[in-house]
């Protein structure tokens, strides 16, 4: 990758940043010189990510569940005490599983809305006072489900549609404070928990996914990290309120992937 970003002297904080796409983003900021804080709910994942980030620069890992607003507030205060005001904040904690709406309990629906949507609100609202005054970038991690209705994804479709609108509203309200707010909508990204849950597995499954992507390949965590670095950098200084797909051109074409995965998953139950 030839594009170089410089995040030295900046603090990047990534919620959900201990695995997959979010860890890829955290590592990219660290490689570009940022002091990086990652937060997630599992101690073992936090410890592993913090060690990886510390090997690249100044890394800090904290445990908090985004559903718990006070825990989010405490993590933000600790991060700022260690690394200073936050220049770039990524809200990427998410949950997902395949379930037909008729068999999804209200609690199952709620748990995903609580993590993806309410969790994003907690992170943004509690972080505002800690963002670098006059020049900060807030990035939500959305999903194609925010605009494309997908079977077995009622909870995620509802939650991510809310995330997109939250990004747009906060861009309106916080622009005057110098806070840019955007969302990234990743397509199928190889090696992630999301793909393990939502895509048919094996070489056949991978071939089906490739067929749906005009660029002919699955994305990588680095593809998403490059966009996150752009949105966090001064190069994106006039971009706010945008939901940007990074999906190889797949756009709304991923429903068959979910159906094929659900077919396998539901046959097993
Ligand atoms: N199908 C149907 N319902 C399910 C389910 C599945 N595969 N997995 C969980 N649920 C239901 C549970 O039965 C429970 O509902 P109930 O109280 O009516 O029984 C509800 O969802 C909450 O489940 P629980 O396991 O208590 O929640 P949790 O907070 O421990 O886990 C999840 C959160 C459910 C989102 C879990 O899938 C998770 O932690 N995932 C890891 C992150 C992830 O999904 N990453 C991918 C992002 S794309």
């Amino acid at each position: 990758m030839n594009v170089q970003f410089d995040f030295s002297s900046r603090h990047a904080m990534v919620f959900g940043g201990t695995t997959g796409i979010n860890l890829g983003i955290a590592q990219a900021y660290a490689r570009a010189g940022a002091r990086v804080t990652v937060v997630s709910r599992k101690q073992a994942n936090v410890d592993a990510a913090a060690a990886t980030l510390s090997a690249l620069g100044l890394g800090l890992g904290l445990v908090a569940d985004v559903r718990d607003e006070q825990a989010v507030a405490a993590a933000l205060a600790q991060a700022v005490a260690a690394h200073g005001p936050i220049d770039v904040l990524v809200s990427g904690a998410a949950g997902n599983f395949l379930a037909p709406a008729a068999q999804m309990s209200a609690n199952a629906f709620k748990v995903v809305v609580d993590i993806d949507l309410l969790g994003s609100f907690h992170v943004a609202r509690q972080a505002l006072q800690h963002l670098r005054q006059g020049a900060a970038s807030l990035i939500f991690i959305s999903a194609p489900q925010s605009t494309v209705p997908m079977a077995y994804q009622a909870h995620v479709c509802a939650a991510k549609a809310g995330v997109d609108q939250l990004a747009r509203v906060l861009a309106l309200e916080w622009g005057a404070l110098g806070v840019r707010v955007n969302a990234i909508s990743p397509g199928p990204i190889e090696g992630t928990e999301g793909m393990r849950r939502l895509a048919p597995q094996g070489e056949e499954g991978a071939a089906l996914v490739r067929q749906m992507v005009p660029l002919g390949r699955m994305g990588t965590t680095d593809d998403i990290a490059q966009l996150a670095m752009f949105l966090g950098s001064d190069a994106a200084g006039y971009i706010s309120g945008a939901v940007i797909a990074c999906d190889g051109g797949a756009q709304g074409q991923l429903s068959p992937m979910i159906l094929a995965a659900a077919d396998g998953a539901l046959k097993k139950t």
Side-chain angles (χ1 to χ4, degrees):
M1 188 59 58
N2 295 323
V3 185
Q4 298 293 325
F5 291 94
D6 181 7
F7 280 87
S8 51
S9 80
R10 298 198 185 185
H11 178 190
M13 185 164 182
V14 185
F15 279 81
T18 57
T19 56
I21 287 173
N22 297 311
L23 177 60
I25 291 172
Q27 287 173 318
Y29 288 136
R31 282 194 200 98
R35 301 183 295 276
V36 179
T37 306
V38 289
V39 184
S40 92
R41 65 185 165 135
K42 291 189 188 144
Q43 184 74 58
N45 290 354
V46 166
D47 291 344
T52 306
L53 292 166
S54 295
L56 295 169
L58 274 178
L60 173 67
L62 299 170
V63 174
D65 187 324
V66 294
R67 290 172 284 190
D68 179 345
E69 189 172 15
Q70 288 321 308
V72 167
L76 284 158
Q78 224 181 313
V80 170
H83 285 165
I86 302 160
D87 297 277
V88 185
L89 177 67
V90 178
S91 175
N96 202 342
F97 49 84
L98 294 163
Q103 282 138 47
M104 189 186 291
S105 71
N107 191 48
F109 184 89
K110 182 177 181 295
V111 79
V112 169
V113 172
D114 280 354
I115 297 169
D116 292 25
L117 180 53
L118 188 58
S120 295
F121 181 71
H122 288 157
V123 168
R125 194 171 99 87
Q126 289 298 331
L128 182 59
Q129 62 185 306
H130 296 298
L131 296 178
R132 172 87 57 199
Q133 249 188 330
S137 172
L138 169 53
I139 302 167
F140 292 111
I141 305 300
S142 185
Q145 286 89 330
S146 72
T147 53
V148 183
M150 294 189 196
Y152 311 115
Q153 291 282 278
H155 46 357
V156 177
C157 288
K160 293 295 192 181
V163 169
D164 286 6
Q165 284 294 68
L166 183 61
R168 295 182 182 113
V169 171
L170 296 185
L172 289 177
E173 294 193 10
W174 295 355
L177 305 173
V179 181
R180 295 183 295 104
V181 188
N182 296 289
I184 295 174
S185 180
I189 305 301
E190 66 189 5
T192 60
E193 179 69 19
M195 288 303 284
R196 273 189 290 281
R197 286 170 181 253
L198 302 180
Q201 300 302 299
E203 187 39 47
E204 227 173 283
L208 177 73
V209 176
R210 284 197 296 272
Q211 266 172 32
M212 285 168 208
V213 179
L215 289 182
R217 66 171 176 88
M218 280 198 216
T220 65
T221 54
D222 195 51
D223 289 320
I224 305 300
Q226 290 294 322
L227 177 53
M229 295 224 283
F230 170 66
L231 287 175
S233 76
D234 298 342
Y238 202 52
I239 300 180
S240 195
V243 178
I244 304 179
C246 185
D247 62 358
Q251 301 183 64
Q253 300 189 70
L254 296 169
S255 295
M257 175 187 91
I258 303 271
L259 288 176
D263 191 36
L266 297 177
K267 268 184 196 151
K268 271 186 234 147
T269 56

